Amino acid sequence: MATIADVARHAGVAPSTVSYALSGKRPISESARRRIDDSIRTLGYRPHAGARALASSKSNVVALMLPLRDDMHVPTLLQFATGVVTAARGHDHDVLLLTHDEGGDGISRVATGSMADALVVMDVEREDARIPVLRTLDRPCVLIGVAGDAGELTSVDLDFVAAGELAVDHLAELGHRHVGLVGQPPSVYSRRTGFADRFIEGFTAASQRHGARVAVRPCEFTYAGVATAVEALLAELPELTALVVHNEHAAPMLLETLSSMGRKVPDDISIVSMCTDDVAERMRVPLTSIAIPAAEIGSRAVDMVMNKLHGREAPGLTLLPPRLARRDSTAAPTGR
Amino acid sequence: MATIADVARHAGVAPSTVSYALSGKRPISESARRRIDDSIRTLGYRPHAGARALASSKSNVVALMLPLRDDMHVPTLLQFATGVVTAARGHDHDVLLLTHDEGGDGISRVATGSMADALVVMDVEREDARIPVLRTLDRPCVLIGVAGDAGELTSVDLDFVAAGELAVDHLAELGHRHVGLVGQPPSVYSRRTGFADRFIEGFTAASQRHGARVAVRPCEFTYAGVATAVEALLAELPELTALVVHNEHAAPMLLETLSSMGRKVPDDISIVSMCTDDVAERMRVPLTSIAIPAAEIGSRAVDMVMNKLHGREAPGLTLLPPRLARRDSTAAPTGR
DNA sequence: TTGAAAGCGCTAACAT
DNA sequence: ATGTTAGCGCTTTCAA
């Protein structure tokens, strides 16, 4: 393996000149630069990451801590990760993957051990044991999601309150006055991750504004769970003409359940679904949907953490606005 | 940040003694060890990863290169990743995440730059541009999947040939003689990733052995695609009584399609599905299935690459045996 | 059982 | 515009 000294010798310059040529931190003459580039190429030189980290106290690595729970929507999770990796590479950083269950220990191992010089942490809960750890760190971090007691920790997320409102606004504009919400599994609410509650908050607020009557039910990822939720909603709101689904797994099951109950979408029941566009488009009835811009959130998180790394100020909380894509599952309610 | 020198001073020993206490590479007196442990704790000392990598030429990092294509089954992908991360932590390694599209450059950056001292690469295709790169590396790597020209590169995978056979064996034992295969999307076959072809290979071989008549159709992840595939299979094999589905996304759609065609599962048509157990269990009719043991494959890959790292020999190709879980979607064909 | 000291390969003052 | 050099924090020989 060639070292910077080999390159310097080969190019007839000092090691520092090679270093500066690489970093661009000081001007290099055209001729020197050419010789250096050549030498690098012919020797197949790559800087040793560890040596570099030691000398510069920068690892050029950002740690990404992901939940690998089975009540999460995995494709969305991977979109976050993709956004993070892509943005990180754009900032010339690599990504170290940590799992949620490594907890605060994992975070401090990676941070204190100088493996990573910045952190992106997903799915932080209220009262999360990792928050105190994150606070004591000398390294910048950004949370994806809105932690209850995040204090001045920086975070990015979709504006789930606005998403809940947007769903109801759309339905209300179409004339719906009785709307049910098929929610996340109970475990998600009891974890108090926040996003699910925030969605309900927006949903409820908008309903009141529109004078619509609403009901809310959590929902498991099973046909039985979906059927139970739908029945409960109908029992509570017999005149229900629209459903909002905040549950990516349940959406296809919901469509099937409604069809087996003889309710047509959107003729009898309109549906607005929180899900990725490709899921919405693949459904038997393409769903009007609000997507979680997961890749964008991931890359924003990295941009923000890089800003902090470079001493620039980053906003405390960034909420991305939701966008609704109108498809075939929503229509005006038919007169009764 | 405390250094090893700080710890040594605080404990009244030489830095090297601290180092040896940490690595266990030479005996340390009980008293010294106790003092060192204390000092480490009170100073909150963590070895600097870069310094360690520089001095020892070991990064204690394994790179994981994942495909982030949208024709893959994402939950399965994440299970691979989880298996890799868990096993890596068990070997005291961290995981650096690379995406497929970084290609050979990404691999050599990470390897030649000494960021990672071992690599796990998923979803290598026949004629993959990364294989020559992998070959020239001084670092051990293990492929997940079976590359066509992998030569003496080490790889692990499910034995997809055996899986294809197992599916047919099960159906043949029940008495089925006319079996259709609903396959992966065409793009998967044209990429020649191998696993899909190997499944067909086993499927076909077993069918011949049992004297069963078969037909095969690729299948997109859409209702239209599923309907087309099913119709084509029925046209080719009018007496069809069983389907094998090698397509996790299509499985739920298939069930719905059959039901809308008035064909009952398993009374009219039996189904064996390649999919994770929780998907199989959540279906309206719980599916008899063969799971890809993704987490296990991931952790085996890491175990193997660690073996190589320690100079131990690793097998060229490891194929894990498939296991079939009998559920409610298969039964003997009803007499006609 | 322990210490002293020479690097590992790079960066960044400090010189010129 | 470029060279010299002193570390960065650790591991590991060599010596005791």
Side-chain angles (χ1 to χ4, degrees):
Chain A
M1 217 85 302
T3 73
I4 201 172
D6 298 329
V7 174
R9 203 172 309 122
H10 188 274
V13 297
S16 60
T17 305
V18 178
S19 175
Y20 285 117
L22 249 29
S23 68
K25 287 188 182 171
R26 80 183 187 190
I28 302 287
S29 70
E30 195 39 58
S31 80
R33 159 151 280 135
R34 239 201 358 272
R35 270 148 44 226
I36 291 174
D37 284 352
D38 279 3
S39 305
I40 288 179
R41 207 153 313 121
T42 70
L43 297 180
Y45 167 73
R46 299 265 189 182
H48 185 290
R52 195 168 242 194
L54 178 56
S56 66
S57 35
K58 287 188 213 319
S59 63
N60 275 45
V61 166
V62 16
L64 169 63
M65 188 171 243
L66 288 182
L68 296 175
R69 283 215 208 67
D70 57 359
D71 60 358
M72 302 253 346
H73 184 64
V74 178
T76 304
L77 194 68
L78 216 72
Q79 286 180 24
F80 281 112
T82 306
V84 167
V85 173
T86 306
R89 291 300 308 137
H91 291 278
D92 192 33
H93 276 241
D94 271 289
V95 174
L96 199 70
L97 182 61
L98 301 177
T99 60
H100 191 132
D101 55 274
E102 290 230 48
D105 290 353
I107 289 177
S108 65
R109 176 168 53 80
V110 151
T112 316
S114 302
M115 307 214 67
D117 34 40
L119 306 167
V120 173
V121 181
M122 263 201 72
D123 201 34
V124 174
E125 306 170 14
R126 300 203 210 280
E127 319 277 308
D128 197 299
R130 293 169 301 175
I131 292 189
V133 179
L134 253 15
R135 277 238 173 61
T136 66
L137 254 41
D138 53 333
R139 284 161 160 70
C141 71
V142 168
L143 312 184
I144 293 181
V146 176
D149 63 344
E152 77 274 37
L153 291 176
T154 304
S155 26
V156 217
D157 205 351
L158 173 66
D159 188 339
F160 277 93
V161 174
E165 293 177 332
L166 183 55
V168 173
D169 287 348
H170 173 66
L171 291 169
E173 270 161 32
L174 290 172
H176 294 273
R177 289 293 170 269
H178 301 265
V179 182
L181 172 58
V182 177
Q184 296 272 315
S187 65
V188 172
Y189 296 99
S190 60
R191 260 198 281 126
R192 318 253 354 130
T193 310
F195 75 94
D197 300 286
R198 284 184 286 131
F199 187 84
I200 293 182
E201 193 183 310
F203 175 85
T204 310
S207 304
Q208 290 185 346
R209 207 167 54 233
H210 292 289
R213 295 208 42 211
V214 298
V216 176
R217 281 289 177 288
C219 180
E220 296 285 2
F221 300 158
T222 59
Y223 282 99
V226 172
T228 307
V230 171
E231 279 156 22
L233 290 171
L234 281 170
E236 190 171 339
L237 233 49
E239 302 177 90
L240 180 140
T241 58
L243 288 172
V244 173
V245 200
H246 183 196
N247 188 323
E248 346 241 351
H249 293 284
M253 297 179 181
L254 178 63
L255 234 32
E256 213 181 320
T257 301
L258 290 175
S259 130
S260 76
M261 293 171 69
R263 310 245 181 179
K264 299 213 180 319
V265 174
D267 307 17
D268 303 324
I269 294 202
S270 285
I271 294 186
V272 176
S273 171
M274 284 295 295
C275 62
T276 57
D277 290 319
D278 62 313
V279 166
E281 278 160 9
R282 264 205 269 281
M283 290 295 93
R284 190 177 276 299
V285 179
L287 300 177
T288 293
S289 69
I290 300 172
I292 300 179
E296 190 191 344
I297 293 174
S299 69
R300 288 288 284 270
V302 170
D303 293 344
M304 289 166 73
V305 91
M306 287 297 146
N307 272 343
K308 294 176 98 175
L309 200 53
H310 298 117
R312 280 173 243 137
E313 198 49 62
L317 170 60
T318 302
L319 291 178
L320 302 184
R323 295 190 318 114
L324 181 141
R326 175 92 195 253
R327 296 201 184 79
D328 305 345
S329 64
T330 48
T334 53
R336 30 177 25 249
Chain B
M1 218 85 303
T3 72
I4 201 172
D6 298 328
V7 174
R9 205 171 311 123
H10 188 274
V13 298
S16 58
T17 305
V18 177
S19 176
Y20 284 117
L22 248 29
S23 69
K25 288 188 181 170
R26 84 181 183 191
I28 303 287
S29 69
E30 195 39 57
S31 80
R33 159 151 280 135
R34 237 198 1 269
R35 269 150 43 225
I36 291 173
D37 284 352
D38 278 2
S39 305
I40 288 180
R41 208 152 313 123
T42 71
L43 298 180
Y45 168 72
R46 299 266 189 181
H48 184 290
R52 195 168 242 193
L54 178 56
S56 66
S57 33
K58 286 189 213 322
S59 63
N60 274 46
V61 166
V62 18
L64 169 62
M65 188 171 243
L66 288 182
L68 296 175
R69 283 214 209 68
D70 56 0
D71 60 359
M72 303 256 341
H73 184 65
V74 178
T76 305
L77 194 70
L78 214 72
Q79 286 180 25
F80 281 113
T82 305
V84 167
V85 173
T86 307
R89 290 300 308 138
H91 291 276
D92 192 33
H93 276 242
D94 271 288
V95 174
L96 200 70
L97 182 62
L98 301 177
T99 62
H100 191 132
D101 54 274
E102 289 229 48
D105 290 352
I107 290 178
S108 66
R109 175 168 53 80
V110 152
T112 315
S114 302
M115 306 214 65
D117 33 41
L119 306 166
V120 173
V121 181
M122 264 203 71
D123 200 34
V124 173
E125 306 170 13
R126 299 203 211 281
E127 320 274 311
D128 197 299
R130 294 168 301 175
I131 292 189
V133 179
L134 255 14
R135 277 237 173 61
T136 66
L137 254 40
D138 54 332
R139 284 161 158 71
C141 71
V142 168
L143 312 183
I144 293 182
V146 177
D149 63 345
E152 76 275 37
L153 290 178
T154 304
S155 27
V156 217
D157 206 352
L158 172 67
D159 188 339
F160 276 93
V161 175
E165 293 178 332
L166 182 55
V168 174
D169 287 349
H170 172 66
L171 291 169
E173 271 161 31
L174 289 172
H176 294 273
R177 289 293 170 269
H178 301 265
V179 182
L181 173 59
V182 176
Q184 296 273 315
S187 65
V188 172
Y189 295 99
S190 58
R191 260 198 281 126
R192 318 251 355 126
T193 310
F195 75 94
D197 301 285
R198 285 183 286 129
F199 187 85
I200 293 181
E201 192 183 309
F203 175 85
T204 311
S207 304
Q208 290 185 346
R209 207 167 54 234
H210 292 290
R213 297 208 39 212
V214 298
V216 175
R217 282 290 176 288
C219 180
E220 296 284 4
F221 300 158
T222 59
Y223 282 98
V226 171
T228 308
V230 171
E231 278 156 22
L233 289 170
L234 281 170
E236 189 170 341
L237 232 52
E239 302 177 90
L240 181 140
T241 58
L243 287 172
V244 173
V245 200
H246 183 196
N247 188 323
E248 345 241 352
H249 292 284
M253 298 179 179
L254 178 63
L255 232 33
E256 212 180 322
T257 301
L258 290 174
S259 130
S260 75
M261 293 171 68
R263 309 244 181 179
K264 298 213 179 319
V265 175
D267 306 17
D268 304 324
I269 295 201
S270 284
I271 294 185
V272 175
S273 170
M274 285 293 296
C275 63
T276 56
D277 290 318
D278 62 314
V279 167
E281 279 160 8
R282 263 204 270 279
M283 291 295 93
R284 190 176 275 300
V285 179
L287 300 177
T288 294
S289 70
I290 301 172
I292 300 178
E296 189 190 345
I297 293 174
S299 68
R300 288 288 285 267
V302 171
D303 293 344
M304 290 167 72
V305 90
M306 287 296 145
N307 273 342
K308 295 177 97 175
L309 200 53
H310 298 120
R312 280 172 241 137
E313 198 50 61
L317 172 60
T318 302
L319 291 178
L320 302 185
R323 295 190 316 116
L324 181 142
R326 175 92 194 253
R327 296 201 183 80
D328 305 343
S329 65
T330 49
T334 53
R336 27 179 25 252

